[in-house]
Amino acid sequence: MPSITREEVAHLARLARIELSDAELDHLAPQLDQIITLVGQVSQVAADDIPPTSHALPLTNVMREDENVPCLTPEQALSGAPAAEAQRFRVPRILEED
Amino acid sequence: MSDLTRKTAVELSELMVSKQASSVEVTQAHLDRIGAVDGSVKAFLHVDTEGALAQAAAVDAKRAAGEKLGPLAGVPLALKDVLTQEGVPTTAGSKILEGWKPPYDSTVVKRLKAAGIVILGKTNMDEFAMGSSTENSAYGTTHNPWDLARIPGGSGGGSSAAISAYEAPLAIGTDTGGSIRQPGAFTGTVGVKPTYGGTSRYGLIALASSLDTPGPCARTTLDAALLHEVIAGWDPLDSTSINQDVPPVVAAARNGDVSGLRIGVVKELGGEGYQPGVEARFHEAVELLTKLGAEVVEVSCPHFQYALPAYYLILPSEASSNLAKFDAMRYGLRVGDDGTNSAEKVTSLSREAGFGDEVKRRIILGTHALSSGYYDAYYGQAQKVRTLIAQDFTKAYEQVDVLVSPATPTTAFAIGDRIDDPIAMYKNDLCTIPSNLAGNAAASFPCGLADEDGLPVGFHVMAPVMRDDLLYTVGAALESALAEQWGGVLMTKAPELEVTR
Amino acid sequence: MTADVVAIDDALAQYDPVMGLEVHVELNTKSKMFCGCPTEFGAPPNTQTCPVCLGLPGALPVVNRRGVESAIKIGLALNCEIAEWCRFARKNYFYPDMPKNFQTSQYDEPIAFNGWTEVVVDGETYRIEIERAHMEEDTGKSTHVGGATGRIQGASHSLVDYNRAGIPLIEIVTKTIEVPPAKAAAVARAFVSQLRDLLLALDVSDVRMDQGSLRCDANVSLKPSGATALGTRTETKNVNSFRSVERAITYEITRQAAVLNAGGKILQETRHWHEDTGITTSGREKSDADDYRYFPEPDLVPVAPSREWVEELRATLPEAPSLRRVRLQTDWGFTDLEMRDVINSGALESIVLTIDLGVAAAAAKKWWLGELARFANESGTDLDALPVGPAEVAEVQKLVDAGTLNDKLARQVFEGLLAGEGTPAEVIEKRGLALVSDDGPLLEAIDRAIAANPGVVEKVNSGKPAAAGALIGAVMKDMRGQADAAKVRELLNAKLGI
Ligand SMILES: [Zn+2]
């Protein structure tokens, strides 16, 4: 019984917006199965009463004052855009064609 | 004058201060070296000849005008392609960012520029720093200058290979699970991962936000410390940056006195799976430190065995979210925009075309780990394992000042060896990962060549949070004792590269 | 396709509506939630962006202190508990107007939670429980090109402006609102309207609904009258005015009732409110909408507001609306009914300001309710948008108090003001509205009245002084109303010797 099926991998790829080919799915699914078995070991650690860690030092309340700093120019902002129009980022239709 | 590219940063600085060489000359010498050997090493993705010479000329002008300059002013450096530099192509080793020129400087780059350090160009890396060999770069593999048939380590293989090939005396890397230390070990150079939050991540293209740490690469401990001092320190643009003084790393590198220092050998990081030549050099180095006056004991860190699984949950989870921004809307590669396809379709096609296998693997793994129903079992549980690993360190530091281990279980492996065996690849980082999870400082220093293959071995030192100076104390002690044995640093044993152009 | 609806009374006779509201408030901070870009409305596209709010590779967020402060103030004003420690979380989903393809928001650790507020509708007080108020960031704005009237449907492509991306939002979520079915929509409207007043009083938002700085999503479900099991709910988005809160909820009740009556099922879905047509339509089903893969934002550190800070902020809060209403009613000496009329008219704040300018409470109420609110209502304009404010009302009333105007003339002054004829002085001048205070012309008019009404004079002289009232009327008519009636009476009485 694999820890993750090919169908699940296909669903995750859709969720992550990666149009995987069938060949890639065939290749990836068993690899992911192996990796998930490896990482699943964390569940063997009894850690119910252990707090989570996300930083070497427990920092809190890092904030900036409500002040303005210079922005990018619109030219800079749009400099990497694959397409631009009317000083805006041009993107493909958001809804599928009917 | 002898070859400028063989000099350390400190020596180059002395030459420039005493006006025996200009920064333009030093920079040109390194650009020439890149031209001569990078065809076979392939450390650089982009060489900014014009920009580098202009920066060098500016430093020379300032020096001529009598301006006060920092200790590394005019020294050239190779920058890992994961840090933004305004107007200079930045790809993170990925096709999805091919041709992207960031409109802003990362904090590390701002500090390098302010220190007068000359940025030669951008170095190769595993795509989005996901890998341990640079084989995952979309732009080809970097070759290890010690043996061109071998990988230089990764993800920062380009930076370490560049200094190992004398293309630059200094380089910047980033370390998420060992990406500075492991290539340092594989190329016989020094690689330091500062305390998480000790160096700014602003402008570092994020892999795993809670692990990524920029740090210095160099051929000597003192060079690394000087570079460390330039880039470290609090940055208001990075909320996770630590607002404290930079530990006295340069003083520690100059001093290098380990007498009375308590060193703990981590029991769990050795034995089965470790190459004999690696273990032999490691234990000799430990003995050497004992002779220099250090007190060595064995310590146990029982939760380190869970570091690898925890890491391969946290990293992919954060990465899957960090890499969502590459959607073909605002920058980067766009595929399939034919006027019919929807934005969603174009995003999916672009990500399919723009990301390599390992990136896809990890994004899907992370998407899975964060999915509803799995969060608690995976990401949540992995964050708790981090706490257990940090507690292992804390308990160990009650007994000792620093912990040591081999930097990697093996020496550099052959190109292609592990490319389609992700788990074998992941095991490269067994020794380095715990420090990323706990956030403490760690470094790899060269400690000799393995008998089996004559390739460099790295000595791994782990110091408490914000005690980065202790790394340099140990590194400097080891370096000078070994240099005495060898008649120079390990790099002097590297084979001469054939000049290809 | 337009769903069939049933009459609202029929719907409410069969079903009990269950509602919940989610209100998004754009804060009025100078800079965005996580970067220093300005937040001006209407700036040219993509002129207020930086690496952070454009989601450029490498950029990192830093929390705006005033954003947190505003969130705490809102939480306190809604009687919430303020978290001692909370985190931001990433809400992951792809959308072109969201630069990072995750929204930095809060998930299971909101900064404020477990609150309540009260609203008054038709004299009845209703308590609304607040589930939470949390901090998050706004998205960019898309313009859809190539389709009909800028709609996303049928567009060939879209253009995105990221000026709005990263502007701080507070999302306020109510618990289920359970009130008598017939009051549901009105209570929802009153809640949003009162929330606006509260946010203005707190000075945390400009609350310009026309600019989208307060946006409402309404969750509605129906259950058969008296039943306990909840029905399937829909979430109606884009409800962006007080009036549409009431209309959209009423519409959803009537639509769902029609579906249920026809034996259909309510789909759990997002629906969009259309202000112009007054209906809701189904949004597209999104396959990944239910899996946002929330996790704590690793680029930010926890927010742990000290209790000192919270108490400092509490001390700056204005009086709670319900307590204030009671105080004002007592101060002004209004009956419950009068106070209800004042609140329903939406003129409470204007009346307060007018009274502050020295006008008696009764007079302030008279002008605001009798003239201005009535005019706003009839002409379909917002009270705030009228060219007459508290200053003008006070000026007119001062002239009344001085005897320069009477109420009838004052009404004409307001008419002129509302017609845009200038300041009160200019209207009086142009329309010639001041009272005649000179005795000469009044005495002449009295003489004319006496001469013209010998019968009335006879009655007065025969011991019926009350008959003199008719003469006053005649004089006032002669003076075309521009005389002070009391003065006329005084002069007439003297003339007639009574
Ligand atoms: Zn910004």
Side-chain angles (χ1 to χ4, degrees):
Chain A
M1 172 88 184
S3 56
I4 190 162
T5 63
R6 191 179 184 279
E7 289 64 42
E8 284 172 301
V9 174
H11 167 73
L12 292 168
R14 274 194 300 278
L15 208 52
R17 299 283 188 275
I18 302 174
E19 185 111 346
L20 289 182
S21 65
D22 281 349
E24 280 180 302
L25 271 173
D26 292 339
H27 190 65
L28 259 174
Q31 283 182 338
L32 283 165
D33 179 46
Q34 258 189 312
I35 298 168
I36 289 167
T37 306
L38 169 82
V39 299
Q41 287 175 31
V42 293
S43 59
Q44 299 165 5
V45 190
D48 281 351
D49 51 348
I50 302 292
T53 289
S54 57
H55 194 289
L57 288 175
L59 304 177
T60 54
N61 294 333
V62 175
M63 300 184 213
R64 39 173 272 276
E65 296 311 312
D66 182 26
E67 283 160 5
N68 291 128
V69 298
C71 297
L72 294 174
T73 64
E75 294 72 31
Q76 285 176 312
L78 290 156
S79 63
E85 188 179 314
Q87 206 169 295
R88 295 169 170 91
F89 292 82
R90 184 186 161 131
V91 304
R93 69 178 78 235
I94 290 172
L95 298 182
E96 298 284 350
E97 244 182 324
D98 288 317
Chain B
M1 188 185 314
S2 59
D3 186 352
L4 289 172
T5 65
R6 300 285 156 152
K7 306 282 182 202
T8 65
V10 171
E11 290 163 351
L12 289 172
S13 182
E14 281 162 5
L15 289 172
M16 288 185 278
V17 168
S18 60
K19 308 270 164 80
Q20 294 176 69
S22 69
S23 175
V24 168
E25 285 164 353
V26 170
T27 301
Q28 189 60 56
H30 286 90
L31 290 169
D32 292 346
R33 173 74 180 171
I34 293 168
V37 302
D38 208 52
S40 48
V41 176
K42 296 188 164 53
F44 283 84
L45 292 178
H46 175 82
V47 179
D48 184 21
T49 305
E50 230 170 87
L53 289 171
Q55 279 181 280
V59 172
D60 287 338
K62 282 185 185 171
R63 203 185 300 279
E67 268 185 54
K68 194 174 158 15
L69 296 171
L72 294 178
V75 177
L77 170 142
L79 182 66
K80 187 174 179 183
D81 201 29
V82 74
L83 288 149
T84 63
Q85 183 182 356
E86 189 178 343
V88 175
T90 301
T91 67
S94 182
K95 278 277 182 251
I96 212 158
L97 270 181
E98 190 164 15
W100 183 59
K101 289 182 182 171
Y104 77 106
D105 276 339
S106 53
T107 295
V108 166
V109 164
K110 263 187 226 154
R111 291 182 180 177
L112 293 173
K113 286 180 174 175
I117 292 172
V118 174
I119 303 171
L120 295 170
K122 310 296 288 288
T123 58
N124 197 18
M125 55 186 283
D126 286 297
E127 183 177 8
F128 290 110
M130 295 187 196
S132 310
S133 67
T134 74
E135 290 168 293
N136 295 332
S137 168
Y139 304 97
T141 305
T142 298
H143 298 252
N144 192 325
W146 286 76
D147 176 352
L148 293 173
R150 304 211 177 220
I151 57 95
S155 65
S159 281
S160 294
I163 51 176
S164 170
Y166 296 102
E167 294 172 303
L170 299 172
I172 294 289
T174 61
D175 194 312
T176 305
S179 288
I180 290 175
R181 291 163 286 162
Q182 184 253 24
F186 283 2
T187 57
T189 57
V190 176
V192 179
K193 181 201 94 71
T195 298
Y196 176 82
T199 45
S200 168
R201 293 186 295 117
Y202 190 78
L204 190 178
I205 300 176
L207 168 55
S209 307
S210 72
L211 304 168
D212 296 343
T213 313
C217 312
R219 289 189 295 265
T220 69
T221 304
L222 181 57
D223 280 5
L226 288 164
L227 182 55
H228 188 133
E229 197 169 61
V230 166
I231 61 170
W234 182 63
D235 177 12
L237 298 181
D238 175 357
S239 307
T240 59
S241 158
I242 295 173
N243 191 354
Q244 287 180 19
D245 290 341
V246 178
V249 290
V250 174
R254 290 193 198 281
N255 176 327
D257 180 4
V258 292
S259 55
L261 193 78
R262 297 169 306 163
I263 294 178
V265 176
V266 182
K267 196 172 84 181
E268 286 79 6
L269 301 178
E272 200 199 316
Y274 285 73
Q275 193 178 318
V278 168
E279 294 218 276
R281 292 298 91 77
F282 169 70
H283 288 297
E284 285 165 21
V286 171
E287 262 168 54
L288 196 55
L289 288 168
T290 314
K291 279 187 198 139
L292 293 171
E295 298 166 22
V296 176
V297 294
E298 191 179 72
V299 298
S300 173
C301 296
H303 295 97
F304 280 18
Q305 61 171 310
Y306 298 109
L308 193 70
Y311 177 79
Y312 277 100
L313 285 168
I314 290 162
L315 180 145
S317 296
E318 295 183 6
S320 70
S321 173
N322 283 332
L323 268 58
K325 60 168 64 80
F326 301 101
D327 62 357
M329 299 295 121
R330 287 160 301 281
Y331 42 78
L333 182 72
R334 179 182 285 186
V335 171
D337 186 8
D338 58 2
T340 307
N341 284 332
S342 67
E344 181 175 330
K345 182 85 175 169
V346 168
T347 296
S348 303
L349 290 170
S350 303
R351 288 162 68 83
E352 163 65 9
F355 289 146
D357 286 352
E358 182 64 16
V359 174
K360 290 175 190 170
R361 248 190 310 261
R362 294 201 199 180
I363 288 176
I364 289 171
L365 179 59
T367 305
H368 176 64
L370 291 177
S371 282
S372 41
Y374 293 103
Y375 177 88
D376 288 337
Y378 287 155
Y379 190 82
Q381 179 76 3
Q383 295 288 65
K384 291 177 173 183
V385 170
R386 285 182 88 156
T387 308
L388 294 171
I389 289 167
Q391 288 173 353
D392 278 1
F393 273 114
T394 307
K395 274 182 207 141
Y397 291 135
E398 284 165 9
Q399 286 176 263
V400 297
D401 298 308
V402 296
L403 295 173
V404 298
S405 75
T408 54
T410 68
T411 55
F413 45 92
I415 291 172
D417 241 18
R418 302 181 190 175
I419 187 67
D420 210 35
D421 186 352
I423 291 175
M425 192 69 98
Y426 297 170
K427 286 188 172 166
N428 268 298
D429 300 328
L430 276 177
C431 307
T432 46
I433 282 174
S435 296
N436 295 89
L437 292 175
N440 59 267
S444 173
F445 300 99
C447 66
L449 304 176
D451 300 323
E452 304 87 1
D453 48 25
L455 289 170
V457 174
F459 185 82
H460 190 218
V461 187
M462 295 160 272
V465 168
M466 289 309 271
R467 287 307 308 275
D468 306 39
D469 51 317
L470 290 176
L471 306 174
Y472 291 96
T473 302
V474 176
L478 196 60
E479 181 179 274
S480 65
L482 289 171
E484 221 164 278
Q485 285 182 13
W486 301 332
V489 295
L490 183 67
M491 268 307 300
T492 56
K493 298 187 174 200
E496 277 301 323
L497 285 168
E498 198 182 323
V499 170
T500 54
R501 207 176 78 212
Chain C
M1 193 195 80
T2 308
D4 290 326
V5 297
V6 300
I8 182 69
D9 290 343
D10 295 342
L12 294 175
Q14 291 172 273
Y15 301 102
D16 292 346
V18 177
M19 301 181 302
L21 294 171
E22 287 173 20
V23 182
H24 288 88
V25 182
E26 254 185 18
L27 298 180
N28 61 359
T29 51
K30 270 197 290 186
S31 64
K32 293 185 179 181
M33 190 65 204
F34 302 113
C35 65
C37 289
T39 55
E40 299 301 327
F41 181 81
N46 295 303
T47 53
Q48 297 183 160
T49 68
C50 73
V52 178
C53 57
L54 267 185
L56 292 190
L60 295 173
V62 186
V63 172
N64 183 336
R65 181 187 304 278
R66 182 141 190 269
V68 177
E69 207 167 274
S70 300
I72 295 174
K73 280 163 111 172
I74 292 171
L76 290 172
L78 293 173
N79 303 297
C80 289
E81 295 173 48
I82 304 301
E84 302 210 4
W85 188 92
C86 65
R87 286 181 292 187
F88 287 94
R90 292 187 182 178
K91 180 181 184 181
N92 293 287
Y93 65 99
F94 284 84
Y95 208 85
D97 64 13
M98 202 165 51
K100 299 164 290 181
N101 288 316
F102 60 78
Q103 183 188 30
T104 307
S105 179
Q106 294 193 283
Y107 181 46
D108 50 357
E109 297 162 349
I111 187 150
F113 52 94
N114 277 348
W116 56 269
T117 190
E118 284 175 348
V119 298
V120 178
V121 171
D122 296 338
E124 288 291 321
T125 301
Y126 300 96
R127 183 176 163 108
I128 293 181
E129 305 283 339
I130 306 295
E131 169 97 32
R132 58 190 282 158
H134 74 245
M135 303 176 276
E136 59 183 36
E137 58 178 339
D138 212 340
T139 60
K141 223 171 183 169
S142 302
T143 313
H144 308 296
V145 183
T149 60
R151 288 266 175 89
I152 189 169
Q153 289 86 1
S156 63
H157 63 280
S158 299
L159 301 175
V160 193
D161 167 15
Y162 292 102
N163 281 350
R164 199 181 66 180
I167 289 183
L169 291 179
I170 304 298
E171 181 176 332
I172 299 161
V173 184
T174 70
K175 291 186 183 162
T176 303
I177 301 173
E178 291 186 66
V179 294
K183 298 290 184 194
V187 166
R189 175 186 180 152
F191 169 70
V192 179
S193 160
Q194 183 179 305
L195 190 59
R196 186 195 69 147
D197 291 345
L198 180 74
L199 295 165
L200 283 175
L202 291 172
D203 190 27
V204 295
S205 172
D206 301 333
V207 212
R208 292 289 304 267
M209 290 185 90
D210 55 330
Q211 296 178 0
S213 57
L214 188 148
R215 310 194 285 270
C216 216
D217 301 341
N219 297 320
V220 177
S221 68
L222 296 185
K223 57 183 183 182
S225 302
T228 45
L230 294 175
T232 306
R233 58 168 221 191
T234 60
E235 184 179 6
T236 301
K237 293 194 176 280
N238 197 29
V239 188
N240 294 342
S241 75
F242 305 133
R243 211 168 78 102
S244 29
V245 170
E246 193 165 354
R247 286 173 71 208
I249 290 175
T250 303
Y251 177 83
E252 242 337 79
I253 293 171
T254 58
R255 185 192 69 84
Q256 291 188 15
V259 172
L260 293 172
N261 285 351
K265 266 189 175 170
I266 303 301
L267 298 175
Q268 180 161 355
E269 62 179 354
T270 297
R271 299 186 66 85
H272 293 279
W273 167 249
H274 302 280
E275 183 75 51
D276 45 356
T277 51
I279 64 165
T280 67
T281 57
S282 173
R284 295 285 175 119
E285 297 292 321
K286 297 214 80 182
S287 57
D288 49 356
D290 291 332
D291 198 350
Y292 290 125
R293 288 161 284 137
Y294 281 102
F295 74 107
E297 165 58 284
D299 285 329
L300 293 170
V301 302
V303 176
S306 71
R307 296 303 98 176
E308 293 74 33
W309 191 25
V310 172
E311 290 315 309
E312 260 169 49
L313 292 173
R314 194 194 299 279
T316 69
L317 294 186
E319 194 179 3
S322 52
L323 295 176
R324 178 165 174 258
R325 274 197 300 270
V326 172
R327 176 176 61 78
L328 290 175
Q329 187 182 342
T330 311
D331 288 358
W332 295 344
F334 287 179
T335 64
D336 288 354
L337 194 69
E338 286 172 323
M339 199 63 190
R340 192 182 97 186
D341 289 344
V342 165
I343 288 161
N344 287 348
S345 72
L348 179 68
E349 298 311 316
S350 302
I351 291 174
V352 169
L353 293 173
T354 306
I355 291 171
D356 285 351
L357 293 171
V359 176
K365 176 169 80 69
K366 176 174 66 191
W367 299 130
W368 278 104
L369 266 57
E371 299 304 314
L372 303 171
R374 190 179 47 79
F375 177 83
N377 199 29
E378 284 166 6
S379 63
T381 26
D382 194 351
L383 206 54
D384 298 349
L386 297 182
V388 181
E392 287 74 25
V393 174
E395 199 176 334
V396 171
Q397 181 57 35
K398 269 184 194 135
L399 294 173
V400 173
D401 291 342
T404 311
L405 294 175
N406 57 17
D407 283 8
K408 190 181 163 206
L409 290 176
R411 268 184 207 104
Q412 292 181 47
V413 175
F414 283 121
E415 214 178 275
L417 290 171
L418 290 167
E421 292 169 19
T423 63
E426 286 165 356
V427 173
I428 290 165
E429 164 83 36
K430 275 186 213 159
R431 295 194 171 198
L433 295 178
L435 290 178
V436 176
S437 55
D438 193 356
D439 286 1
L442 286 181
L443 288 170
E444 282 168 27
I446 286 169
D447 287 345
R448 280 196 294 278
I450 289 173
N453 297 286
V456 177
V457 178
E458 213 164 287
K459 275 188 189 165
V460 172
N461 287 342
S462 66
K464 290 176 180 163
L471 292 173
I472 294 171
V475 173
M476 292 302 288
K477 197 177 174 193
D478 192 2
M479 296 301 294
R480 287 156 56 219
Q482 286 173 253
D484 180 352
K487 179 89 178 170
V488 170
R489 177 183 296 277
E490 186 192 318
L491 292 173
L492 185 71
N493 286 356
K495 190 93 179 175
L496 295 175
I498 51 177

